[in-house]
Structure formats: structure tokens, C-alpha cells
Amino acid sequence: MFLLLISAGATAALAVPSASEANGVTPGTFTIEPAGAATPAQSEPAFVDAVQAAIMRAGFTPLPKPSHSRYIATVVVTHTMRGAVTSGTKSRPAFGVSNWGTGLAVGLPKKDDQLHGLIVTELKVTFLVRSDNHPVWSGSAVTAQVDGTRAGTPEAVAGKLADALFAQFPRQFPAPVSVP
């Protein structure tokens, strides 16, 4: 990217690095390679597909494995059970005001409520330069979803996390990006 400055009849071209060039990541070819034993086999394709689509939207070109791509993107997915939540409860307002005063209502689980696991999923992606396996970018995104729901499917979770992670690529974040 070049910036053209015109001042008092003089013209000068200054090279201004883009955000990706400042981090050492310039658009090019990449191959996705799962990394680590923490990636569950049944959800791996959904996460690899979502990460590939997000990287392509950032201006990179995917190559099939094995390849001679410029970058290797490693993908690690971890799922952690963090308790159980109920589903099926019709929520009522916890606090209400009427003509006769105020009141507090507390909903208790019914017999037909089901317990589902609350799953925390973290997606970590690292960009390596293929020539020397030097990392040039890494980031992670995390979300908590209820197991057994549409929002908790591997495809839905993978899409949310990959989109959030690469929304401002190649910007580095000091902590994982939290996704609702």
C-alpha cells in the first residue's frame, strides 16, 4: 500500500505498511493442519472448514495438503464441560410491580426439564511460515454453549469462533476473544 503526498508542488510516495505487513503476515497461500490431540475427531472437519473460510475472507488462498504453501495454519480445538443447565423452563419475570405492590417470583425446575452440559469450546489458530516453522500470528476464541442445542452444534460453534477470531486478522489480542 502506498500513500501519495502532494505538498507545495512536490510529490513523494511513502510506503506505509498495512496492518498485516506490520505483523509479518502478508496475503499468500496457506494449508490448514490440525495440531494436538485435543481436537475431537467428530468436530474437526467443522472447525477446519470454518477456519479455512474465515482465512479466505481475509484474502488468503487455500491449498490442499500436502502443499508448498507459504503458511501453515494449525488448528487446536478443546472442549471442556463446565457443569449442567436446565432447558425447557418457561421463564417468568423475577421481579414485578402491580397495583397491589411489588413481588418477587423464583422459577424452580419442573419435572419435564432436562439437564444439558454447558460446554466451553476454545479455538486456537497459529500461522507459521512454512520455510522455517516460525510463528507469525496466533489467536484464540472461546464460547460457552449448551450441549444438544442448535447453538451448541460443532458447525454453529466453529462458525462463531472462526468468524470472531478472524474479524480483525492479523491483529493480536492479549487474551482469547470471548464469543456469546
Side-chain angles (χ1 to χ4, degrees):
M1 172 182 193
F2 289 95
L3 176 64
L4 186 63
L5 295 176
I6 301 175
S7 171
T11 305
L14 298 175
V16 178
S18 66
S20 62
E21 292 168 345
N23 283 348
V25 181
T26 57
T29 58
F30 72 96
T31 303
I32 294 182
E33 298 180 7
T39 304
Q42 68 273 18
S43 64
E44 179 183 291
F47 284 90
V48 169
D49 291 347
V51 168
Q52 180 170 317
I55 295 173
M56 287 173 54
R57 285 191 295 275
F60 291 76
T61 305
L63 293 179
K65 291 185 289 187
S67 75
H68 298 288
S69 63
R70 182 176 187 178
Y71 300 105
I72 299 170
T74 62
V75 176
V76 176
V77 180
T78 56
H79 301 284
T80 308
M81 177 83 123
R82 293 283 171 92
V85 294
T86 61
S87 68
T89 304
K90 296 193 182 199
S91 61
R92 301 183 298 192
F95 181 78
V97 178
S98 66
N99 291 340
W100 301 282
T102 60
L104 177 65
V106 177
L108 298 174
K110 299 182 230 170
K111 289 183 182 178
D112 60 344
D113 287 338
Q114 296 178 10
L115 290 176
H116 293 278
L118 182 63
I119 308 294
V120 174
T121 303
E122 183 173 16
L123 170 65
K124 291 182 183 179
V125 179
T126 302
F127 254 61
L128 306 166
V129 176
R130 181 175 292 282
S131 61
D132 61 0
N133 281 340
H134 173 71
V136 291
W137 180 87
S138 69
S140 63
V142 65
T143 189
Q145 299 296 323
V146 178
D147 191 31
T149 63
R150 275 183 268 163
T153 64
E155 294 78 16
V157 172
K160 279 190 229 185
L161 292 177
D163 289 347
L165 187 56
F166 286 94
Q168 296 183 22
F169 179 77
R171 183 176 171 201
Q172 294 277 29
F173 295 100
V177 175
S178 180
V179 181

